[in-house]
Amino acid sequence: METHGMALFCLLCLVLHGGAAISSRTSDSMELWGYAKPRPKVNIFWWYYKSPQRVSSPVKPWPTVVWLQGGPGGSGVGRGNFLEIGPLDLNLKPRKFTWLHKADLIFVDSPVGVGYSYAEDPSAMVKTDLQTATDMVDVLKALVMEIPTLRNSPLFLVGESYGGKLAAMIGISLARAIHDGTVHLTLGGVVIGDGWISPDDFTLSYAQLLHDVSRLNDNAVGDANKMAVTVKEQMVAGQFAAALKTWTDLLNLIDSKSDSVNMHNFLLDTGMDPVFASSSSLRSTQLMHHNHQASQSASNTIDGIMNGVIKQKLKIIPKDVVWHEATFEIYDALANDFMKPAIDEVDELLSYGVNVVVYNGQSIFLYLKLDVICPTVGVEAWVNKLKWHGLKNFLGLPRQPLHYCDSPIYCSKLIKAYVRSYKNLCFYWILQAGHMVPVDQPYAAFRMIASITQTPMHYASNLE
């Protein structure tokens, strides 16, 4: 923590949307954080890191990555930052393959009610994904005023899991606002990581996928497939809340008939995920996100540091705001939107010419998809449904293997990933990774984001 400015804070105040938005920074201005007020009584917390490797020019401006956590209801400021891609890990030690080497980073606790973000009135909580997207665009408007370099920096929205769906929706809203001249930013691209884009395509794949890897009992396959078909029928009929209930029942069936397989990585059982090893509670019906109890405050847990040393460092978090890794109230409030697909939003981004990158975790054996909740076979299915004019050419191209050599002296012959790219659509298959690619394969994820943002390499001389 010493290298990230524990001393001397400079408080700033400004008025946004009729309310006071408080922000603070380290003495060297390498970190900024604060609250934005996209609506009255809504306070969204954000945290910006300036890259120590930042080299920018008018010809090649340095990129910025905005990380959007899944859930819905997961905290990007906590999980994405300290458990996945931020400069420090859970033990507050430097992370070797932090994405901060490749871009400036912004973590946001979105929607309101997540992490350090809070509403002054319960009626201000979001009830739709569209409201979340609208709030985020207003947050980005505020950040242009707070972060001087942001206006000229290519902005990449990176969303994991449900955050991938939100990234697509925020990307559409942001692209429109940029076109209208109401937001002065450059949208570098939208990156969808194991994204919850097409719930029916994912759901229809669960039974066969788990049976093929001997994780689902034979006598449960038929019932699981029937429930998956029901989910699809309910979605087609616009009965999204009912589809969510059926999907939840399906996950419970799978849990009981698979000896509690981990839906984020089928090689593991529930509770074995290293990212959430300190979790004290998990709803089996809500495998998109995890929950920690507020009473779990040991310093080596994510709850412990976020409600302890990190909260003390930030100084501006209200005393009565208790950080939670995931907020079930958000999940419940979005029940009518959770099962809505976002394929049309991806199509619209492509039609606007926005760069869209899809990445998914997958086993080294191509028929084994480690991520079950958003499996690669389901992602490939929704990609095939795109109406984008370049889809036929995209699908006709061969995938290129990526070895990601670690040094000019030793270069592994093992393939670490595959990529296919045509015009403004790119797809990465990250091998031996589950639902959270930066956790399972940090170096491959690091090399991937370097390629996406087109920043120079420092750790390898042979960029593929």
Side-chain angles (χ1 to χ4, degrees), residues 15-86:
V15 176
L16 294 172
H17 294 274
I22 302 174
S23 65
S24 184
R25 66 181 67 213
T26 54
S27 58
D28 58 5
S29 294
M30 295 299 285
E31 298 178 40
L32 289 77
W33 59 85
Y35 282 101
K37 294 184 74 72
R39 291 180 284 127
K41 300 183 178 181
V42 171
N43 301 273
I44 302 292
F45 185 80
W46 55 271
W47 193 343
Y48 163 82
Y49 292 86
K50 182 179 179 179
S51 174
Q53 280 73 36
R54 168 181 262 277
V55 178
S56 190
S57 70
V59 177
K60 187 70 173 176
W62 188 261
T64 300
V65 165
V66 176
W67 178 269
L68 302 165
Q69 201 67 42
S75 167
V77 168
R79 282 173 54 178
N81 189 358
F82 294 99
L83 297 178
E84 299 198 53
I85 67 166

Side-chain angles (χ1 to χ4, degrees), residues 217-297:
N217 292 340
D218 296 2
N219 57 13
V221 173
D223 290 339
N225 279 330
K226 288 178 182 178
M227 294 176 74
V229 170
T230 300
V231 168
K232 182 178 178 64
E233 291 172 347
Q234 290 169 330
M235 289 177 60
V236 170
Q239 300 169 353
F240 295 107
L244 174 57
K245 183 181 185 305
T246 305
W247 179 78
T248 298
D249 292 341
L250 171 58
L251 293 190
N252 285 333
L253 172 69
I254 290 173
D255 186 67
S256 66
K257 299 295 183 179
S258 66
D259 297 310
S260 297
V261 66
N262 187 314
M263 294 292 279
H264 290 160
N265 186 330
F266 72 73
L267 296 180
L268 306 175
D269 296 330
T270 296
M272 293 176 61
D273 196 314
V275 175
F276 305 106
S278 62
S279 295
S280 61
S281 176
L282 170 67
R283 290 189 192 178
S284 63
T285 58
Q286 297 180 358
L287 293 176
M288 294 290 286
H289 68 275
H290 296 245
N291 178 44
H292 283 67
Q293 300 298 321
S295 61
Q296 188 181 24
S297 58

Side-chain angles (χ1 to χ4, degrees), residues 162-177:
Y162 203 86
K165 176 184 179 181
L166 293 176
M169 299 187 69
I170 295 166
I172 289 295
S173 297
L174 186 58
R176 292 170 180 167

Side-chain angles (χ1 to χ4, degrees), residues 286-463:
Q286 297 180 358
L287 293 176
M288 294 290 286
H289 68 275
H290 296 245
N291 178 44
H292 283 67
Q293 300 298 321
S295 61
Q296 188 181 24
S297 58
S299 61
N300 64 338
T301 67
I302 188 67
D303 291 83
I305 66 167
M306 298 304 289
N307 289 303
V309 64
I310 299 302
K311 189 173 183 179
Q312 293 168 13
K313 168 184 175 173
L314 300 176
K315 295 187 182 297
I316 65 173
I317 311 301
K319 291 182 179 180
D320 60 346
V321 172
V322 178
W323 185 91
H324 294 280
E325 185 180 348
T327 307
F328 290 131
E329 289 78 8
I330 300 299
Y331 182 97
D332 296 335
L334 294 173
N336 289 318
D337 273 17
F338 186 89
M339 298 298 286
K340 290 182 179 178
I343 303 174
D344 289 345
E345 284 76 5
V346 177
D347 250 327
E348 189 173 351
L349 286 169
L350 291 168
S351 70
Y352 284 168
V354 174
N355 295 319
V356 175
V357 179
V358 178
Y359 72 83
N360 235 69
Q362 177 160 311
S363 169
I364 196 167
F365 302 104
L366 298 185
Y367 60 87
L368 299 183
K369 285 71 176 178
L370 299 187
D371 182 3
V372 179
I373 202 75
C374 299
T376 303
V377 64
V379 176
E380 292 171 345
W382 71 253
V383 168
N384 285 334
K385 294 178 180 178
L386 291 171
K387 300 180 180 65
W388 176 54
H389 65 85
L391 181 63
K392 183 177 180 180
N393 289 333
F394 172 82
L395 296 175
L397 292 174
R399 302 186 312 170
Q400 299 299 315
L402 300 174
H403 296 274
Y404 291 145
C405 299
D406 294 309
S407 73
I409 299 175
Y410 172 75
C411 183
S412 172
K413 294 183 179 180
L414 293 177
I415 296 172
K416 303 295 181 64
Y418 286 94
V419 64
R420 175 187 289 150
S421 182
Y422 179 74
K423 290 190 174 179
N424 56 319
L425 177 61
C426 183
F427 194 137
Y428 284 87
W429 291 259
I430 307 297
L431 303 186
Q432 294 183 308
H435 193 60
M436 290 161 284
V437 169
V439 175
D440 294 331
Q441 293 297 329
Y443 184 65
F446 175 80
R447 293 293 298 271
M448 176 189 70
I449 200 63
S451 179
I452 291 169
T453 60
Q454 299 182 36
T455 46
M457 291 302 300
H458 298 283
Y459 285 91
S461 61
N462 184 13
L463 176 60

Side-chain angles (χ1 to χ4, degrees), residues 1-2 4-10 25-28 313 315:
M1 295 295 290
E2 291 80 7
H4 286 77
M6 287 296 289
L8 188 57
F9 295 90
C10 169
R25 66 181 67 213
T26 54
S27 58
D28 58 5
K313 168 184 175 173
K315 295 187 182 297

